[in-house]
Amino acid sequence: MSKKADRRVPEEQAATVAQVLAAIEAMTAGDAARLKGFAASKWRVRGHLPDGRDGDDLLSAAVVAALAGRRRWNPSKVPFPTFLIGAMRSLANHARKARVTDILQIALSESDLVTPEDPIPLDNMSSADPYAFGSATPSAEERVLQEQSQREARDLISEFEKSHDDDWEALLVIEAWREGHDGPAIREKLGLSVTEYETIVRRLRRKAKISHNSRQPNAN
Amino acid sequence: MPTERDHVEDLNAIFDALSESVVEESDDQLLAEVRESGQDPNALMAHVKGVLRQAVKQTQQRPLRDARKAYEARRSALQQNSYSLPESADERRTLFMNVVVQNPSVGGMLTAHFREFDKLEDDDITSCLRQLADLGLLDESSERDSGDR
């Protein structure tokens, strides 16, 4: 029986705390804008409305996972911002599957959840898995919370779509995203060039940020 | 009957697509968007670096924090020990001297801290009795007393 290859960075190649701190200092304003933009959208809504922390928790969790968890960074292979984006993507997806809103808990508990056969077992977990964290059969309280989350999500989507009321291209892209299509598939389906698609997405990002900032008590 | 739409998953899909859209975007475009939203790119950079540095610091301090939590939990458990000591200072002193007599090793150990037992203040006696209670020595002493009668 073949053993699954261990994809983890060997400990001797993993970055030290000093290397992580140096990489943080070396970051550019563009790196920071990308990281913040990614984190804020990735961790804005997980069954709850944005609470003003704008993805900072996800940024922190990615660093914690690198230093205390199983996600080692190899400085000779991957730039630090790229590593952080990969870690944030994975942590956010795992948190969703585990139905956990405390992202730091995911960053720390991943180290307790691995097995020799599955270095990152949450990668293999399906959200439909009845043995995923959280109950397979929701309690009455959980059902109430789920219904509330559904209402809030529906209202947010409706608000977002209304903000693009006169932009049919943006509405088509939003619908395609809801159906799970990615950029290349959407461009092919709608006959858009790369530049045309990117222009529409920039309009969507701009409106999403305006909508989000208007909800925050202390927008930064 | 059409399946009910999962709005939470739809919203996740929209924001996932928005988050992924910044990954390949140029620095110039992202910084222009930052300025358009009224933010200063340098202030944003300082903020992000601060968040990351703080996360590094918290990770380094985690073993110390965990050790302190464990210590405070043990200390709290000691203080909540429900053994009830005699109400009067005289009774407490009598109990203490009985324990010392019945447990010579305890007497020897305490002598290292206190020269003369009869000069001990009530606070010291009370503190010693609580620690002796946690060691189970007060229970043993009272069992011996009732056995002797």
mmCIF file of all heavy atoms in Angstrom, chain A residues 41 44 152-167 170-171 173-175 177-178 200-212 215, chain B residues 10-11 13-19 21:
data_model
loop_
_atom_site.group_PDB
_atom_site.id
_atom_site.type_symbol
_atom_site.label_atom_id
_atom_site.label_comp_id
_atom_site.label_asym_id
_atom_site.label_seq_id
_atom_site.Cartn_x
_atom_site.Cartn_y
_atom_site.Cartn_z
ATOM 1 N N SER A 41 -12.069 39.836 2.712
ATOM 2 C CA SER A 41 -13.156 39.192 1.963
ATOM 3 C C SER A 41 -13.300 37.729 2.345
ATOM 4 O O SER A 41 -14.388 37.189 2.361
ATOM 5 C CB SER A 41 -12.909 39.284 0.458
ATOM 6 O OG SER A 41 -13.079 40.606 0.014
ATOM 7 N N ARG A 44 -14.940 37.645 6.085
ATOM 8 C CA ARG A 44 -15.926 38.657 6.447
ATOM 9 C C ARG A 44 -17.167 38.027 7.037
ATOM 10 O O ARG A 44 -17.712 38.485 8.004
ATOM 11 C CB ARG A 44 -16.364 39.436 5.202
ATOM 12 C CG ARG A 44 -15.385 40.447 4.742
ATOM 13 C CD ARG A 44 -15.755 40.938 3.413
ATOM 14 N NE ARG A 44 -16.833 41.904 3.475
ATOM 15 C CZ ARG A 44 -16.909 42.925 2.664
ATOM 16 N NH1 ARG A 44 -16.007 43.096 1.756
ATOM 17 N NH2 ARG A 44 -17.910 43.763 2.737
ATOM 18 N N GLU A 152 -29.803 36.632 6.971
ATOM 19 C CA GLU A 152 -28.799 37.700 6.889
ATOM 20 C C GLU A 152 -28.021 37.609 5.575
ATOM 21 O O GLU A 152 -27.757 38.622 4.924
ATOM 22 C CB GLU A 152 -27.842 37.610 8.081
ATOM 23 C CG GLU A 152 -28.494 38.058 9.389
ATOM 24 C CD GLU A 152 -27.681 37.686 10.622
ATOM 25 O OE1 GLU A 152 -26.694 36.935 10.500
ATOM 26 O OE2 GLU A 152 -28.046 38.145 11.717
ATOM 27 N N ALA A 153 -27.664 36.374 5.184
ATOM 28 C CA ALA A 153 -26.914 36.182 3.945
ATOM 29 C C ALA A 153 -27.764 36.607 2.742
ATOM 30 O O ALA A 153 -27.287 37.287 1.833
ATOM 31 C CB ALA A 153 -26.487 34.720 3.808
ATOM 32 N N ARG A 154 -29.032 36.211 2.762
ATOM 33 C CA ARG A 154 -29.927 36.571 1.660
ATOM 34 C C ARG A 154 -30.048 38.087 1.550
ATOM 35 O O ARG A 154 -29.999 38.659 0.458
ATOM 36 C CB ARG A 154 -31.304 35.939 1.894
ATOM 37 C CG ARG A 154 -32.294 36.094 0.743
ATOM 38 C CD ARG A 154 -33.710 35.802 1.205
ATOM 39 N NE ARG A 154 -34.094 36.680 2.289
ATOM 40 C CZ ARG A 154 -34.919 36.343 3.296
ATOM 41 N NH1 ARG A 154 -35.452 35.144 3.350
ATOM 42 N NH2 ARG A 154 -35.219 37.207 4.252
ATOM 43 N N ASP A 155 -30.173 38.770 2.690
ATOM 44 C CA ASP A 155 -30.300 40.232 2.702
ATOM 45 C C ASP A 155 -29.025 40.900 2.183
ATOM 46 O O ASP A 155 -29.090 41.887 1.439
ATOM 47 C CB ASP A 155 -30.611 40.747 4.113
ATOM 48 C CG ASP A 155 -32.013 40.352 4.567
ATOM 49 O OD1 ASP A 155 -32.817 39.934 3.707
ATOM 50 O OD2 ASP A 155 -32.290 40.449 5.778
ATOM 51 N N LEU A 156 -27.859 40.360 2.589
ATOM 52 C CA LEU A 156 -26.586 40.939 2.139
ATOM 53 C C LEU A 156 -26.419 40.780 0.632
ATOM 54 O O LEU A 156 -25.973 41.707 -0.063
ATOM 55 C CB LEU A 156 -25.408 40.264 2.851
ATOM 56 C CG LEU A 156 -24.983 40.862 4.195
ATOM 57 C CD1 LEU A 156 -23.918 40.004 4.852
ATOM 58 C CD2 LEU A 156 -24.469 42.283 4.034
ATOM 59 N N ILE A 157 -26.769 39.611 0.118
ATOM 60 C CA ILE A 157 -26.667 39.378 -1.322
ATOM 61 C C ILE A 157 -27.601 40.323 -2.068
ATOM 62 O O ILE A 157 -27.223 40.932 -3.071
ATOM 63 C CB ILE A 157 -27.005 37.904 -1.678
ATOM 64 C CG1 ILE A 157 -25.938 36.969 -1.113
ATOM 65 C CG2 ILE A 157 -27.102 37.731 -3.196
ATOM 66 C CD1 ILE A 157 -26.289 35.494 -1.240
ATOM 67 N N SER A 158 -28.805 40.451 -1.548
ATOM 68 C CA SER A 158 -29.783 41.331 -2.178
ATOM 69 C C SER A 158 -29.274 42.771 -2.209
ATOM 70 O O SER A 158 -29.378 43.467 -3.234
ATOM 71 C CB SER A 158 -31.098 41.222 -1.400
ATOM 72 O OG SER A 158 -32.043 42.107 -1.911
ATOM 73 N N GLU A 159 -28.707 43.205 -1.091
ATOM 74 C CA GLU A 159 -28.155 44.567 -0.993
ATOM 75 C C GLU A 159 -27.018 44.747 -1.994
ATOM 76 O O GLU A 159 -26.928 45.778 -2.684
ATOM 77 C CB GLU A 159 -27.651 44.785 0.434
ATOM 78 C CG GLU A 159 -27.108 46.175 0.700
ATOM 79 C CD GLU A 159 -26.549 46.297 2.114
ATOM 80 O OE1 GLU A 159 -27.143 45.706 3.057
ATOM 81 O OE2 GLU A 159 -25.515 46.950 2.278
ATOM 82 N N PHE A 160 -26.148 43.737 -2.083
ATOM 83 C CA PHE A 160 -25.002 43.810 -2.991
ATOM 84 C C PHE A 160 -25.474 43.870 -4.441
ATOM 85 O O PHE A 160 -24.964 44.654 -5.244
ATOM 86 C CB PHE A 160 -24.100 42.590 -2.744
ATOM 87 C CG PHE A 160 -22.764 42.654 -3.435
ATOM 88 C CD1 PHE A 160 -21.968 43.786 -3.362
ATOM 89 C CD2 PHE A 160 -22.285 41.564 -4.141
ATOM 90 C CE1 PHE A 160 -20.735 43.851 -3.984
ATOM 91 C CE2 PHE A 160 -21.054 41.605 -4.764
ATOM 92 C CZ PHE A 160 -20.280 42.749 -4.696
ATOM 93 N N GLU A 161 -26.473 43.056 -4.775
ATOM 94 C CA GLU A 161 -26.989 43.054 -6.145
ATOM 95 C C GLU A 161 -27.666 44.384 -6.478
ATOM 96 O O GLU A 161 -27.523 44.920 -7.569
ATOM 97 C CB GLU A 161 -27.965 41.886 -6.341
ATOM 98 C CG GLU A 161 -27.264 40.540 -6.454
ATOM 99 C CD GLU A 161 -28.212 39.358 -6.514
ATOM 100 O OE1 GLU A 161 -29.364 39.483 -6.034
ATOM 101 O OE2 GLU A 161 -27.808 38.312 -7.048
ATOM 102 N N LYS A 162 -28.389 44.940 -5.513
ATOM 103 C CA LYS A 162 -29.078 46.235 -5.749
ATOM 104 C C LYS A 162 -28.078 47.339 -6.021
ATOM 105 O O LYS A 162 -28.343 48.269 -6.785
ATOM 106 C CB LYS A 162 -29.916 46.622 -4.528
ATOM 107 C CG LYS A 162 -31.262 45.975 -4.505
ATOM 108 C CD LYS A 162 -32.178 46.585 -3.447
ATOM 109 C CE LYS A 162 -33.462 45.768 -3.406
ATOM 110 N NZ LYS A 162 -33.816 45.248 -2.110
ATOM 111 N N SER A 163 -26.885 47.247 -5.360
ATOM 112 C CA SER A 163 -25.866 48.294 -5.561
ATOM 113 C C SER A 163 -25.302 48.232 -6.985
ATOM 114 O O SER A 163 -24.640 49.164 -7.436
ATOM 115 C CB SER A 163 -24.744 48.156 -4.528
ATOM 116 O OG SER A 163 -23.971 47.000 -4.770
ATOM 117 N N HIS A 164 -25.577 47.145 -7.704
ATOM 118 C CA HIS A 164 -25.128 47.009 -9.087
ATOM 119 C C HIS A 164 -26.315 46.980 -10.045
ATOM 120 O O HIS A 164 -26.237 46.445 -11.145
ATOM 121 C CB HIS A 164 -24.324 45.709 -9.257
ATOM 122 C CG HIS A 164 -23.051 45.664 -8.475
ATOM 123 N ND1 HIS A 164 -21.882 46.250 -8.893
ATOM 124 C CD2 HIS A 164 -22.773 45.119 -7.277
ATOM 125 C CE1 HIS A 164 -20.935 46.049 -7.985
ATOM 126 N NE2 HIS A 164 -21.449 45.371 -7.001
ATOM 127 N N ASP A 165 -27.416 47.593 -9.607
ATOM 128 C CA ASP A 165 -28.675 47.506 -10.343
ATOM 129 C C ASP A 165 -28.561 47.888 -11.816
ATOM 130 O O ASP A 165 -29.199 47.311 -12.678
ATOM 131 C CB ASP A 165 -29.687 48.440 -9.677
ATOM 132 C CG ASP A 165 -31.030 47.737 -9.534
ATOM 133 O OD1 ASP A 165 -31.099 46.532 -9.883
ATOM 134 O OD2 ASP A 165 -31.995 48.371 -9.110
ATOM 135 N N ASP A 166 -27.704 48.871 -12.112
ATOM 136 C CA ASP A 166 -27.582 49.344 -13.482
ATOM 137 C C ASP A 166 -26.387 48.718 -14.193
ATOM 138 O O ASP A 166 -25.991 49.168 -15.270
ATOM 139 C CB ASP A 166 -27.442 50.875 -13.489
ATOM 140 C CG ASP A 166 -26.286 51.324 -12.598
ATOM 141 O OD1 ASP A 166 -25.726 50.472 -11.864
ATOM 142 O OD2 ASP A 166 -25.932 52.518 -12.614
ATOM 143 N N ASP A 167 -25.803 47.694 -13.577
ATOM 144 C CA ASP A 167 -24.593 47.082 -14.129
ATOM 145 C C ASP A 167 -24.874 45.612 -14.393
ATOM 146 O O ASP A 167 -24.580 44.740 -13.561
ATOM 147 C CB ASP A 167 -23.454 47.247 -13.109
ATOM 148 C CG ASP A 167 -22.093 46.821 -13.661
ATOM 149 O OD1 ASP A 167 -22.048 46.164 -14.721
ATOM 150 O OD2 ASP A 167 -21.073 47.132 -13.013
ATOM 151 N N ALA A 170 -22.012 43.099 -14.108
ATOM 152 C CA ALA A 170 -21.654 42.749 -12.733
ATOM 153 C C ALA A 170 -22.658 41.745 -12.164
ATOM 154 O O ALA A 170 -22.279 40.793 -11.477
ATOM 155 C CB ALA A 170 -21.613 44.003 -11.857
ATOM 156 N N LEU A 171 -23.937 41.951 -12.473
ATOM 157 C CA LEU A 171 -24.967 41.033 -11.956
ATOM 158 C C LEU A 171 -24.776 39.625 -12.518
ATOM 159 O O LEU A 171 -24.971 38.631 -11.813
ATOM 160 C CB LEU A 171 -26.366 41.557 -12.302
ATOM 161 C CG LEU A 171 -26.794 42.820 -11.538
ATOM 162 C CD1 LEU A 171 -28.095 43.380 -12.091
ATOM 163 C CD2 LEU A 171 -26.950 42.538 -10.045
ATOM 164 N N VAL A 173 -21.925 38.314 -13.423
ATOM 165 C CA VAL A 173 -20.742 37.730 -12.767
ATOM 166 C C VAL A 173 -21.101 37.274 -11.347
ATOM 167 O O VAL A 173 -20.699 36.192 -10.912
ATOM 168 C CB VAL A 173 -19.572 38.742 -12.741
ATOM 169 C CG1 VAL A 173 -18.443 38.256 -11.850
ATOM 170 C CG2 VAL A 173 -19.052 38.982 -14.160
ATOM 171 N N ILE A 174 -21.885 38.088 -10.631
ATOM 172 C CA ILE A 174 -22.308 37.698 -9.275
ATOM 173 C C ILE A 174 -23.069 36.372 -9.333
ATOM 174 O O ILE A 174 -22.817 35.447 -8.548
ATOM 175 C CB ILE A 174 -23.209 38.780 -8.637
ATOM 176 C CG1 ILE A 174 -22.408 40.038 -8.316
ATOM 177 C CG2 ILE A 174 -23.867 38.250 -7.354
ATOM 178 C CD1 ILE A 174 -23.266 41.212 -7.862
ATOM 179 N N GLU A 175 -23.979 36.266 -10.299
ATOM 180 C CA GLU A 175 -24.771 35.030 -10.424
ATOM 181 C C GLU A 175 -23.867 33.847 -10.739
ATOM 182 O O GLU A 175 -24.034 32.752 -10.200
ATOM 183 C CB GLU A 175 -25.828 35.209 -11.514
ATOM 184 C CG GLU A 175 -26.821 34.072 -11.618
ATOM 185 C CD GLU A 175 -27.601 33.825 -10.341
ATOM 186 O OE1 GLU A 175 -27.832 34.760 -9.553
ATOM 187 O OE2 GLU A 175 -27.975 32.657 -10.102
ATOM 188 N N TRP A 177 -20.705 33.539 -9.937
ATOM 189 C CA TRP A 177 -19.962 33.214 -8.713
ATOM 190 C C TRP A 177 -20.818 32.380 -7.778
ATOM 191 O O TRP A 177 -20.340 31.411 -7.194
ATOM 192 C CB TRP A 177 -19.527 34.503 -7.995
ATOM 193 C CG TRP A 177 -18.317 35.168 -8.579
ATOM 194 C CD1 TRP A 177 -17.447 34.655 -9.499
ATOM 195 C CD2 TRP A 177 -17.865 36.475 -8.270
ATOM 196 N NE1 TRP A 177 -16.474 35.575 -9.779
ATOM 197 C CE2 TRP A 177 -16.688 36.698 -9.036
ATOM 198 C CE3 TRP A 177 -18.298 37.493 -7.415
ATOM 199 C CZ2 TRP A 177 -15.976 37.894 -8.976
ATOM 200 C CZ3 TRP A 177 -17.579 38.677 -7.357
ATOM 201 C CH2 TRP A 177 -16.432 38.864 -8.138
ATOM 202 N N ARG A 178 -22.095 32.759 -7.647
ATOM 203 C CA ARG A 178 -23.005 32.018 -6.764
ATOM 204 C C ARG A 178 -23.131 30.568 -7.220
ATOM 205 O O ARG A 178 -23.337 29.665 -6.423
ATOM 206 C CB ARG A 178 -24.389 32.662 -6.750
ATOM 207 C CG ARG A 178 -24.463 33.971 -6.003
ATOM 208 C CD ARG A 178 -25.807 34.628 -6.149
ATOM 209 N NE ARG A 178 -26.808 34.030 -5.285
ATOM 210 C CZ ARG A 178 -28.007 34.535 -5.066
ATOM 211 N NH1 ARG A 178 -28.365 35.650 -5.665
ATOM 212 N NH2 ARG A 178 -28.867 33.944 -4.272
ATOM 213 N N ILE A 200 -14.772 44.384 -14.651
ATOM 214 C CA ILE A 200 -16.043 44.131 -13.957
ATOM 215 C C ILE A 200 -15.765 43.763 -12.495
ATOM 216 O O ILE A 200 -16.417 44.258 -11.571
ATOM 217 C CB ILE A 200 -16.822 42.982 -14.634
ATOM 218 C CG1 ILE A 200 -17.205 43.366 -16.054
ATOM 219 C CG2 ILE A 200 -18.069 42.617 -13.827
ATOM 220 C CD1 ILE A 200 -17.715 42.199 -16.887
ATOM 221 N N VAL A 201 -14.763 42.902 -12.269
ATOM 222 C CA VAL A 201 -14.437 42.466 -10.906
ATOM 223 C C VAL A 201 -13.980 43.651 -10.057
ATOM 224 O O VAL A 201 -14.311 43.742 -8.871
ATOM 225 C CB VAL A 201 -13.364 41.359 -10.938
ATOM 226 C CG1 VAL A 201 -12.860 41.049 -9.540
ATOM 227 C CG2 VAL A 201 -13.927 40.090 -11.578
ATOM 228 N N ARG A 202 -13.238 44.575 -10.676
ATOM 229 C CA ARG A 202 -12.801 45.752 -9.911
ATOM 230 C C ARG A 202 -14.019 46.588 -9.486
ATOM 231 O O ARG A 202 -14.042 47.112 -8.373
ATOM 232 C CB ARG A 202 -11.860 46.614 -10.757
ATOM 233 C CG ARG A 202 -10.488 46.012 -10.843
ATOM 234 C CD ARG A 202 -9.613 46.700 -11.855
ATOM 235 N NE ARG A 202 -8.397 45.922 -12.076
ATOM 236 C CZ ARG A 202 -7.589 46.075 -13.106
ATOM 237 N NH1 ARG A 202 -7.845 46.980 -14.029
ATOM 238 N NH2 ARG A 202 -6.509 45.329 -13.229
ATOM 239 N N ARG A 203 -15.003 46.680 -10.333
ATOM 240 C CA ARG A 203 -16.220 47.413 -9.958
ATOM 241 C C ARG A 203 -16.902 46.699 -8.781
ATOM 242 O O ARG A 203 -17.385 47.335 -7.841
ATOM 243 C CB ARG A 203 -17.199 47.500 -11.130
ATOM 244 C CG ARG A 203 -16.723 48.357 -12.276
ATOM 245 C CD ARG A 203 -17.884 48.848 -13.126
ATOM 246 N NE ARG A 203 -18.650 47.820 -13.802
ATOM 247 C CZ ARG A 203 -18.362 47.344 -15.026
ATOM 248 N NH1 ARG A 203 -17.281 47.763 -15.659
ATOM 249 N NH2 ARG A 203 -19.129 46.433 -15.593
ATOM 250 N N LEU A 204 -16.933 45.387 -8.844
ATOM 251 C CA LEU A 204 -17.553 44.612 -7.770
ATOM 252 C C LEU A 204 -16.802 44.792 -6.453
ATOM 253 O O LEU A 204 -17.405 44.955 -5.395
ATOM 254 C CB LEU A 204 -17.582 43.124 -8.154
ATOM 255 C CG LEU A 204 -18.637 42.739 -9.186
ATOM 256 C CD1 LEU A 204 -18.313 41.391 -9.817
ATOM 257 C CD2 LEU A 204 -20.021 42.684 -8.553
ATOM 258 N N ARG A 205 -15.488 44.769 -6.510
ATOM 259 C CA ARG A 205 -14.682 44.936 -5.283
ATOM 260 C C ARG A 205 -14.927 46.305 -4.682
ATOM 261 O O ARG A 205 -15.064 46.443 -3.463
ATOM 262 C CB ARG A 205 -13.182 44.811 -5.589
ATOM 263 C CG ARG A 205 -12.638 43.413 -5.533
ATOM 264 C CD ARG A 205 -11.160 43.391 -5.218
ATOM 265 N NE ARG A 205 -10.348 44.242 -6.060
ATOM 266 C CZ ARG A 205 -9.738 43.836 -7.170
ATOM 267 N NH1 ARG A 205 -9.879 42.588 -7.575
ATOM 268 N NH2 ARG A 205 -9.010 44.671 -7.880
ATOM 269 N N ARG A 206 -14.982 47.307 -5.556
ATOM 270 C CA ARG A 206 -15.175 48.684 -5.079
ATOM 271 C C ARG A 206 -16.505 48.801 -4.351
ATOM 272 O O ARG A 206 -16.602 49.341 -3.255
ATOM 273 C CB ARG A 206 -15.126 49.633 -6.271
ATOM 274 C CG ARG A 206 -14.924 51.088 -5.903
ATOM 275 C CD ARG A 206 -14.673 51.937 -7.127
ATOM 276 N NE ARG A 206 -13.367 51.669 -7.729
ATOM 277 C CZ ARG A 206 -13.176 51.256 -8.976
ATOM 278 N NH1 ARG A 206 -14.187 51.053 -9.792
ATOM 279 N NH2 ARG A 206 -11.965 51.049 -9.440
ATOM 280 N N LYS A 207 -17.563 48.283 -4.944
ATOM 281 C CA LYS A 207 -18.893 48.370 -4.349
ATOM 282 C C LYS A 207 -18.974 47.536 -3.070
ATOM 283 O O LYS A 207 -19.636 47.921 -2.114
ATOM 284 C CB LYS A 207 -19.967 47.875 -5.322
ATOM 285 C CG LYS A 207 -20.299 48.839 -6.460
ATOM 286 C CD LYS A 207 -21.346 49.851 -6.041
ATOM 287 C CE LYS A 207 -21.595 50.917 -7.088
ATOM 288 N NZ LYS A 207 -22.295 50.436 -8.274
ATOM 289 N N ALA A 208 -18.294 46.403 -3.044
ATOM 290 C CA ALA A 208 -18.323 45.551 -1.850
ATOM 291 C C ALA A 208 -17.668 46.279 -0.689
ATOM 292 O O ALA A 208 -18.139 46.237 0.446
ATOM 293 C CB ALA A 208 -17.598 44.235 -2.118
ATOM 294 N N LYS A 209 -16.576 46.987 -0.976
ATOM 295 C CA LYS A 209 -15.863 47.703 0.075
ATOM 296 C C LYS A 209 -16.723 48.861 0.599
ATOM 297 O O LYS A 209 -16.797 49.091 1.798
ATOM 298 C CB LYS A 209 -14.552 48.254 -0.481
ATOM 299 C CG LYS A 209 -13.603 48.658 0.619
ATOM 300 C CD LYS A 209 -12.183 48.818 0.119
ATOM 301 C CE LYS A 209 -11.309 49.175 1.283
ATOM 302 N NZ LYS A 209 -10.343 48.201 1.639
ATOM 303 N N ILE A 210 -17.391 49.557 -0.301
ATOM 304 C CA ILE A 210 -18.248 50.671 0.105
ATOM 305 C C ILE A 210 -19.367 50.141 0.996
ATOM 306 O O ILE A 210 -19.659 50.693 2.055
ATOM 307 C CB ILE A 210 -18.845 51.388 -1.128
ATOM 308 C CG1 ILE A 210 -17.737 52.125 -1.883
ATOM 309 C CG2 ILE A 210 -19.944 52.367 -0.712
ATOM 310 C CD1 ILE A 210 -18.165 52.645 -3.245
ATOM 311 N N SER A 211 -19.965 49.033 0.572
ATOM 312 C CA SER A 211 -21.056 48.440 1.334
ATOM 313 C C SER A 211 -20.574 47.993 2.701
ATOM 314 O O SER A 211 -21.225 48.212 3.716
ATOM 315 C CB SER A 211 -21.611 47.240 0.549
ATOM 316 O OG SER A 211 -22.489 46.503 1.347
ATOM 317 N N HIS A 212 -19.407 47.383 2.745
ATOM 318 C CA HIS A 212 -18.864 46.894 4.014
ATOM 319 C C HIS A 212 -18.526 48.055 4.934
ATOM 320 O O HIS A 212 -18.871 48.053 6.115
ATOM 321 C CB HIS A 212 -17.620 46.050 3.735
ATOM 322 C CG HIS A 212 -16.921 45.601 4.970
ATOM 323 N ND1 HIS A 212 -17.477 44.729 5.869
ATOM 324 C CD2 HIS A 212 -15.703 45.919 5.480
ATOM 325 C CE1 HIS A 212 -16.639 44.528 6.862
ATOM 326 N NE2 HIS A 212 -15.554 45.225 6.652
ATOM 327 N N ARG A 215 -21.167 49.752 6.953
ATOM 328 C CA ARG A 215 -21.740 49.026 8.082
ATOM 329 C C ARG A 215 -20.892 49.108 9.332
ATOM 330 O O ARG A 215 -21.305 48.705 10.407
ATOM 331 C CB ARG A 215 -21.890 47.542 7.718
ATOM 332 C CG ARG A 215 -22.964 47.281 6.729
ATOM 333 C CD ARG A 215 -22.883 45.840 6.227
ATOM 334 N NE ARG A 215 -24.053 45.540 5.433
ATOM 335 C CZ ARG A 215 -25.181 45.044 5.935
ATOM 336 N NH1 ARG A 215 -25.258 44.771 7.208
ATOM 337 N NH2 ARG A 215 -26.208 44.816 5.160
ATOM 338 N N ASP B 10 -23.965 30.758 -0.955
ATOM 339 C CA ASP B 10 -23.891 31.724 -2.058
ATOM 340 C C ASP B 10 -23.043 32.927 -1.660
ATOM 341 O O ASP B 10 -22.210 33.409 -2.433
ATOM 342 C CB ASP B 10 -25.294 32.209 -2.442
ATOM 343 C CG ASP B 10 -26.053 31.189 -3.272
ATOM 344 O OD1 ASP B 10 -25.475 30.128 -3.590
ATOM 345 O OD2 ASP B 10 -27.232 31.438 -3.601
ATOM 346 N N LEU B 11 -23.272 33.438 -0.442
ATOM 347 C CA LEU B 11 -22.509 34.599 0.031
ATOM 348 C C LEU B 11 -21.036 34.233 0.176
ATOM 349 O O LEU B 11 -20.146 35.003 -0.191
ATOM 350 C CB LEU B 11 -23.083 35.091 1.355
ATOM 351 C CG LEU B 11 -22.573 36.430 1.866
ATOM 352 C CD1 LEU B 11 -22.874 37.546 0.899
ATOM 353 C CD2 LEU B 11 -23.173 36.750 3.227
ATOM 354 N N ALA B 13 -19.486 32.031 -1.568
ATOM 355 C CA ALA B 13 -18.936 31.930 -2.922
ATOM 356 C C ALA B 13 -18.611 33.313 -3.488
ATOM 357 O O ALA B 13 -17.567 33.501 -4.126
ATOM 358 C CB ALA B 13 -19.915 31.198 -3.837
ATOM 359 N N ILE B 14 -19.486 34.276 -3.233
ATOM 360 C CA ILE B 14 -19.248 35.640 -3.734
ATOM 361 C C ILE B 14 -18.003 36.228 -3.088
ATOM 362 O O ILE B 14 -17.115 36.762 -3.758
ATOM 363 C CB ILE B 14 -20.467 36.545 -3.464
ATOM 364 C CG1 ILE B 14 -21.652 36.103 -4.330
ATOM 365 C CG2 ILE B 14 -20.139 38.008 -3.745
ATOM 366 C CD1 ILE B 14 -22.962 36.775 -3.967
ATOM 367 N N PHE B 15 -17.915 36.119 -1.759
ATOM 368 C CA PHE B 15 -16.762 36.718 -1.080
ATOM 369 C C PHE B 15 -15.477 35.931 -1.334
ATOM 370 O O PHE B 15 -14.384 36.498 -1.366
ATOM 371 C CB PHE B 15 -17.031 36.863 0.420
ATOM 372 C CG PHE B 15 -17.870 38.066 0.740
ATOM 373 C CD1 PHE B 15 -19.054 37.937 1.431
ATOM 374 C CD2 PHE B 15 -17.487 39.317 0.318
ATOM 375 C CE1 PHE B 15 -19.839 39.049 1.700
ATOM 376 C CE2 PHE B 15 -18.264 40.438 0.582
ATOM 377 C CZ PHE B 15 -19.446 40.304 1.276
ATOM 378 N N ASP B 16 -15.594 34.618 -1.545
ATOM 379 C CA ASP B 16 -14.406 33.848 -1.923
ATOM 380 C C ASP B 16 -13.870 34.352 -3.254
ATOM 381 O O ASP B 16 -12.659 34.522 -3.433
ATOM 382 C CB ASP B 16 -14.755 32.351 -2.040
ATOM 383 C CG ASP B 16 -14.778 31.658 -0.693
ATOM 384 O OD1 ASP B 16 -14.361 32.280 0.313
ATOM 385 O OD2 ASP B 16 -15.219 30.489 -0.638
ATOM 386 N N ALA B 17 -14.787 34.597 -4.202
ATOM 387 C CA ALA B 17 -14.368 35.078 -5.513
ATOM 388 C C ALA B 17 -13.738 36.469 -5.397
ATOM 389 O O ALA B 17 -12.732 36.763 -6.048
ATOM 390 C CB ALA B 17 -15.561 35.111 -6.470
ATOM 391 N N LEU B 18 -14.324 37.313 -4.545
ATOM 392 C CA LEU B 18 -13.752 38.656 -4.334
ATOM 393 C C LEU B 18 -12.357 38.554 -3.721
ATOM 394 O O LEU B 18 -11.445 39.278 -4.115
ATOM 395 C CB LEU B 18 -14.659 39.488 -3.425
ATOM 396 C CG LEU B 18 -15.919 40.067 -4.077
ATOM 397 C CD1 LEU B 18 -16.851 40.645 -3.028
ATOM 398 C CD2 LEU B 18 -15.566 41.129 -5.110
ATOM 399 N N SER B 19 -12.203 37.645 -2.737
ATOM 400 C CA SER B 19 -10.883 37.517 -2.090
ATOM 401 C C SER B 19 -9.853 36.987 -3.080
ATOM 402 O O SER B 19 -8.730 37.468 -3.128
ATOM 403 C CB SER B 19 -10.977 36.624 -0.852
ATOM 404 O OG SER B 19 -11.237 35.283 -1.206
ATOM 405 N N SER B 21 -9.841 37.420 -6.200
ATOM 406 C CA SER B 21 -9.584 38.392 -7.274
ATOM 407 C C SER B 21 -8.408 39.310 -6.935
ATOM 408 O O SER B 21 -7.778 39.861 -7.844
ATOM 409 C CB SER B 21 -10.844 39.229 -7.557
ATOM 410 O OG SER B 21 -11.063 40.178 -6.527
#
